[in-house]
Amino acid sequence: MEQLGRYKIQTVLGRGAMGTVYRAHDPTIDRVVAIKTITIPSVTIEEQTEYRERFFREAQAAGRLSHPGVVTLYDVGEQQDTHEPYLVMEFVEGNTLDSVIRDSPTQ
């Protein structure tokens, strides 16, 4: 994948059971973002529709959050070919949670 909507994919940051997280560039406002794609389970059309609707309602709620400990949600959309939803978020440079846990002293 080279592009997702207007966002130009730069690299894969991680993969999991629920989707993939990418580092991407938003050319419209010239900033780096994180994009999380969400994989919809193979279920009936009705269940997929319900899943998508719930996802977008939750994205609206998350978009209203403003706290220094929570990344900012910039955009939400669907991939054109697969209709899988994605979130476009603030990209935060730093260590992965795995590395923080691994490197922390045990008590």
Side-chain angles (χ1 to χ4, degrees), residues 1 4 22 37-41 45 48 52 77-86:
M1 176 182 323
L4 188 55
Y22 301 94
T37 60
I38 310 297
T39 303
I40 297 176
I45 296 296
Q48 287 181 10
R52 254 195 240 60
E78 276 186 331
Q79 293 185 47
Q80 282 187 324
D81 53 345
T82 64
H83 299 287
E84 289 185 340
Y86 62 87

Side-chain angles (χ1 to χ4, degrees), residues 11-23 35-37 91 96 98:
T11 188
V12 173
L13 297 174
R15 294 185 195 278
M18 293 296 292
T20 304
V21 178
Y22 301 94
R23 177 187 167 121
I35 300 178
K36 181 175 185 179
T37 60
F91 178 79
T96 65
D98 283 341

Side-chain angles (χ1 to χ4, degrees), residues 83-95:
H83 299 287
E84 289 185 340
Y86 62 87
L87 301 171
V88 180
M89 302 168 284
E90 169 186 13
F91 178 79
V92 179
E93 195 75 52
N95 298 323

Side-chain angles (χ1 to χ4, degrees), residues 10-103:
Q10 295 176 330
T11 188
V12 173
L13 297 174
R15 294 185 195 278
M18 293 296 292
T20 304
V21 178
Y22 301 94
R23 177 187 167 121
H25 180 255
D26 180 347
T28 303
I29 54 178
D30 192 26
R31 71 172 161 199
V32 174
V33 295
I35 300 178
K36 181 175 185 179
T37 60
I38 310 297
T39 303
I40 297 176
S42 297
V43 292
T44 67
I45 296 296
E46 293 82 16
E47 290 171 318
Q48 287 181 10
T49 300
E50 180 183 331
Y51 181 90
R52 254 195 240 60
E53 289 171 358
R54 187 174 63 229
F55 171 83
F56 285 110
R57 278 194 309 273
E58 291 176 7
Q60 286 177 337
R64 291 193 281 281
L65 293 175
S66 178
H67 186 278
V70 177
V71 296
T72 302
L73 180 64
Y74 295 139
D75 195 8
V76 63
E78 276 186 331
Q79 293 185 47
Q80 282 187 324
D81 53 345
T82 64
H83 299 287
E84 289 185 340
Y86 62 87
L87 301 171
V88 180
M89 302 168 284
E90 169 186 13
F91 178 79
V92 179
E93 195 75 52
N95 298 323
T96 65
L97 180 58
D98 283 341
S99 68
V100 170
I101 292 170
R102 183 184 57 243
D103 297 341

